Amino acid sequence: MNNNLFGYDHQNTWIHRLSGSSKLFFFLLVSIIAMVSYDTRFICLVLVLSLVLLQQSHIKWAQIRLVVKLIVAFSLLNLVMIYIFSPENGVAIYGTKHVIFGSGFYALTQEQLFYEINLALKYFVTVPLALIFLITTNPSEFAASLNRLGVSYRISYSVSLALRYIPDVQNDYQEISRAQQARGYEISKKGKLMARLTGAVHIIMPLIFTSIAKIDTISQAMELRRFGRNKKRSWYMQRPMTKNDDLVWVATIVIVIIGGWFFHIDGSRFFNPFK
């Protein structure tokens, strides 16, 4: 697989060898408890764990660079918009007000800053977990795992197709981009803004039509093979559960219990250092 593409990358790490259902279970529950909690100590613990797992999965920076940059940009925009529309949300949550600088409605307070730092940490926690799940999980094996957990094979196969389609869209985008640049459309950073926007339009429209054509081809192929006629189906790729999978399920439950314990000692979802 092209390492510049964002999608499943086959490697022989212990994370890649886990069952897709185990990785989904870990990703969903840990992400949920991290997003629900506003205890900075717990979020930092999960952040360290997610970064360690990201390093252990041997994911290359070239594979996730574009995705990470987009997520960081939208996250920063979200944090700025929260401050613009609700600059005293932290004050309302923590019940105190310690002004750092400024005055009036938009005075920057320690409470608001602490609240938005917690939000930023949440993004940094969930993004590595999502990247690990998407890049280390074979779509076909994941569909088989979902079906084994009781999910309909029609839904499981739809999820598999969606995961497979990510690198296909990127391949198509790169091919169309090179073709349009060969025709003289400027897309690089050296070009003027309007020229780059025009070039982007000439990439997006063919990409949409190409995607629609592929969807139509796949749907016709599935109909010809009478997909969905039977109540059950066999799977070409199905990974058996191992001891590592059992450990991942136990570790997930332990993390959720620790998150709940922080709720108990804080008396709520929020850790309040301003008491």
Side-chain angles (χ1 to χ4, degrees):
M1 176 180 171
N2 186 345
N3 287 329
N4 292 321
L5 297 181
F6 175 70
Y8 173 65
D9 183 18
H10 175 70
Q11 294 194 49
N12 192 29
T13 68
W14 68 271
I15 297 177
H16 285 76
R17 292 192 295 269
L18 290 172
S19 168
S21 55
S22 298
K23 283 182 274 192
L24 179 64
F25 182 74
F26 180 86
F27 166 61
L28 288 179
L29 264 67
V30 174
S31 297
I32 290 171
I33 192 65
M35 293 303 292
V36 170
S37 174
Y38 277 85
D39 192 302
T40 313
R41 300 162 297 181
F42 175 70
I43 296 174
C44 287
L45 287 174
V46 180
L47 174 60
V48 171
L49 175 62
S50 63
L51 293 176
V52 170
L53 293 176
L54 184 65
Q55 186 274 331
Q56 296 244 323
S57 62
H58 295 172
I59 296 174
K60 299 177 179 63
W61 170 245
Q63 294 173 262
I64 61 175
R65 178 176 54 202
L66 178 60
V67 175
V68 171
K69 287 181 178 179
L70 288 173
I71 292 173
V72 168
F74 281 110
S75 300
L76 291 175
L77 177 62
N78 182 51
L79 293 174
V80 171
M81 297 305 292
I82 288 173
Y83 180 74
I84 290 175
F85 290 103
S86 185
E88 293 194 348
N89 194 31
V91 174
I93 290 171
Y94 299 112
T96 57
K97 185 173 183 178
H98 300 84
V99 178
I100 299 175
F101 63 83
S103 59
F105 185 66
Y106 284 106
L108 179 61
T109 62
Q110 295 180 19
E111 290 79 4
Q112 183 67 20
L113 183 61
F114 183 69
Y115 170 70
E116 298 211 10
I117 287 174
N118 281 325
L119 287 178
L121 287 174
K122 288 172 180 287
Y123 300 140
F124 287 112
V125 165
T126 54
V127 168
L129 295 177
L131 293 175
I132 292 168
F133 173 72
L134 291 172
I135 296 178
T136 65
T137 306
N138 184 299
S140 297
E141 186 274 323
F142 177 56
S145 298
L146 284 179
N147 186 227
R148 187 168 55 189
L149 290 175
V151 179
S152 167
Y153 76 83
R154 298 173 182 84
I155 298 175
S156 302
Y157 197 76
S158 299
V159 174
S160 172
L161 286 176
L163 292 176
R164 288 182 186 179
Y165 201 56
I166 294 173
D168 288 343
V169 170
Q170 294 174 90
N171 265 322
D172 291 340
Y173 175 84
Q174 291 180 2
E175 290 176 3
I176 295 170
S177 176
R178 286 192 289 267
Q180 298 295 39
Q181 289 181 68
R183 292 184 176 92
Y185 291 104
E186 184 59 67
I187 304 170
S188 67
K189 296 179 180 179
K190 297 178 182 179
K192 295 181 180 179
L193 179 60
M194 289 305 300
R196 291 168 62 185
L197 290 174
T198 302
V201 171
H202 283 85
I203 294 175
I204 292 172
M205 294 307 296
L207 182 63
I208 292 173
F209 289 123
T210 301
S211 300
I212 293 173
K214 285 188 175 182
I215 292 170
D216 185 57
T217 301
I218 292 172
S219 62
Q220 289 182 13
M222 292 173 70
E223 288 180 6
L224 289 172
R225 290 169 174 80
R226 305 182 76 177
F227 179 82
R229 179 177 180 272
N230 298 318
K231 293 182 179 180
K232 296 182 180 181
R233 62 159 292 169
S234 57
W235 297 93
Y236 178 71
M237 296 189 68
Q238 191 164 7
R239 193 184 298 274
M241 298 288 284
T242 63
K243 289 183 179 179
N244 284 342
D245 288 290
D246 296 335
L247 291 174
V248 167
W249 283 68
V250 171
T252 303
I253 295 171
V254 169
I255 292 171
V256 172
I257 292 173
I258 292 173
W261 178 72
F262 275 104
F263 291 168
H264 174 70
I265 62 176
D266 292 335
S268 68
R269 296 188 299 129
F270 298 91
F271 167 61
N272 190 349
F274 303 102
K275 289 181 179 179

